Amino acid sequence: MTSNGKLTLDFIKQQAEEEQLMPTNFKQVKLTKKFLLPHIRKLQDDLLRLRLQFDREFDQARHPKKGEYPQGYCYEITKGVKELLEHELQAPQTVGIGALRDFCLNGGITKRVWGNLRHEYFQNAFQFGDLYVDVSNDTVTITKPKVEILPLAKARFYSISDYDTYAGLAEKYWKGNIYPNRLLPELAVMFPIFFVSADGKPEAHANYQTILYRNMQLDFALAERFLTKGRFQDRVLPENHAKRLISEFGGLEMPVSNDDLKRHFAAARQSELRLDAVRCQLLLDQARAI
């Protein structure tokens, strides 16, 4: 759920706001055309230079749970290049970085985003106005160019706003299996998904920070819809994982029904759980422990 450290409500909010794709309008299209497109090749060269710099400086030993770099490192690469780019934007020395700075100073959108790429991958990238900018384009297929820049309309990059979409993509991308959380119903209002990875490791999932935060804003409506109306609602967690949840986390012996789940959601809303930072933090900690 996070690359390291403690999962907190402040972190969830920060990540969700940072990762959300912004809708473009005429102003952003105009700014992109005026400031970025005339220098797009030079900007791409600069981004590749920064990516190569990050590659040289990256310490893979600090990420022992991941595989061979760069596969699976889209988050780390995008965050790292973002830091390098922010430093250069303070005093541009190249045409490409100078064009991006002028674009920013005139109101252009420049932000990191996370979402569904072509219904095949989860991907971290950048939004520069009306452009999709990917500096970790080789993190699934290492033979691809490291940097890709496309008009957003052609990139087929979408925000993820429901758990069914997330669950389907998670199975495809991570080669695992999704199950509804019907054994820990108090936790399910925030973490409605159990994901069992290809190597058999179960995790409590909530579609990363973006939709977790949105689910809380909507008073847990997204999680309830996934559990009671979604296409994964009838799946049953394998017995070995269910026994662990029962013995280690106080899980129920039998999966709860839709009616019982709805009562848990109603209780969470009545008690204003989403506004109670202490209780929410306990649920976040429990999810991290699974």
Side-chain angles (χ1 to χ4, degrees):
M1 295 266 312
T2 58
S3 57
N4 50 57
K6 186 178 179 64
L7 183 62
T8 66
L9 293 177
D10 286 343
F11 179 82
I12 291 167
K13 181 179 180 180
Q14 174 189 335
Q15 290 289 99
E17 291 175 348
E18 181 179 346
E19 293 176 346
Q20 187 64 42
L21 184 69
M22 298 293 291
T24 57
N25 52 28
F26 177 75
K27 177 183 177 180
Q28 293 301 318
V29 173
K30 184 177 179 180
L31 290 173
T32 302
K33 185 176 181 180
K34 179 178 180 180
F35 291 103
L36 298 183
L37 294 186
H39 307 291
I40 199 67
R41 293 298 181 189
K42 293 185 181 297
L43 177 59
Q44 185 162 355
D45 289 344
D46 281 326
L47 292 172
L48 178 58
R49 171 176 56 81
L50 294 178
R51 166 62 198 278
L52 293 174
Q53 178 182 341
F54 179 81
D55 288 348
R56 292 191 299 270
E57 297 173 353
F58 182 69
D59 182 6
Q60 189 175 346
R62 296 178 60 187
H63 304 270
K65 294 183 180 180
K66 291 203 171 186
E68 190 66 25
Y69 185 84
Q71 287 186 315
Y73 286 87
C74 67
Y75 175 80
E76 291 82 2
I77 291 171
T78 306
K79 291 280 284 187
V81 172
K82 179 176 181 285
E83 292 175 3
L84 296 174
L85 181 59
E86 288 172 344
H87 177 74
E88 291 211 357
L89 281 170
Q90 296 176 22
Q93 300 295 315
T94 65
V95 172
I97 301 297
L100 183 59
R101 184 170 185 268
D102 290 341
F103 172 76
C104 296
L105 291 175
N106 283 274
I109 293 173
T110 53
K111 67 192 308 289
R112 185 177 70 85
V113 293
W114 175 85
N116 169 3
L117 181 61
R118 299 166 195 144
H119 303 299
E120 295 180 1
Y121 317 112
F122 296 115
Q123 188 67 357
N124 288 272
F126 295 121
Q127 178 183 1
F128 291 172
D130 194 40
L131 296 176
Y132 168 84
V133 179
D134 188 351
V135 296
S136 57
N137 189 51
D138 59 337
T139 54
V140 176
T141 304
I142 62 173
T143 55
K144 287 186 176 181
K146 293 179 182 293
V147 176
E148 179 179 62
I149 300 178
L150 293 171
L152 270 172
K154 293 184 178 180
R156 296 172 61 207
F157 180 83
Y158 314 101
S159 295
I160 301 174
S161 57
D162 66 89
Y163 286 113
D164 266 16
T165 298
Y166 170 78
L169 191 55
E171 287 196 329
K172 183 177 183 179
Y173 184 54
W174 287 319
K175 314 299 182 186
N177 293 293
I178 291 287
Y179 300 93
N181 177 4
R182 291 178 175 271
L183 297 182
L184 296 170
E186 291 84 3
L187 183 66
V189 297
M190 288 179 64
F191 290 83
I193 290 173
F194 289 130
F195 176 78
V196 179
S197 63
D199 60 3
K201 179 183 176 183
E203 298 175 345
H205 269 229
N207 193 338
Y208 282 69
Q209 288 74 42
T210 303
I211 198 171
L212 173 53
Y213 183 58
R214 181 64 173 156
N215 181 50
M216 293 178 69
Q217 286 182 312
L218 295 176
D219 218 359
F220 312 114
L222 298 182
E224 183 177 16
R225 186 180 307 139
F226 171 80
L227 289 168
T228 63
K229 297 180 180 179
R231 62 189 178 95
F232 296 87
Q233 64 170 303
D234 294 327
R235 290 191 180 183
V236 178
L237 190 68
E239 184 178 0
N240 59 321
H241 299 309
K243 286 182 176 179
R244 175 174 173 262
L245 292 177
I246 294 167
S247 62
E248 296 183 22
F249 299 98
L252 301 176
E253 293 283 347
M254 295 293 294
V256 295
S257 67
N258 280 354
D259 287 341
D260 285 336
L261 276 172
K262 290 178 180 179
R263 281 192 283 271
H264 280 282
F265 278 92
R269 293 179 185 121
Q270 186 176 8
S271 66
E272 297 188 329
L273 171 63
R274 69 185 181 91
L275 303 177
D276 190 329
V278 174
R279 291 164 62 207
C280 285
Q281 187 61 58
L282 291 173
L283 294 175
L284 295 176
D285 293 343
Q286 182 182 7
R288 290 279 287 179
I290 295 175

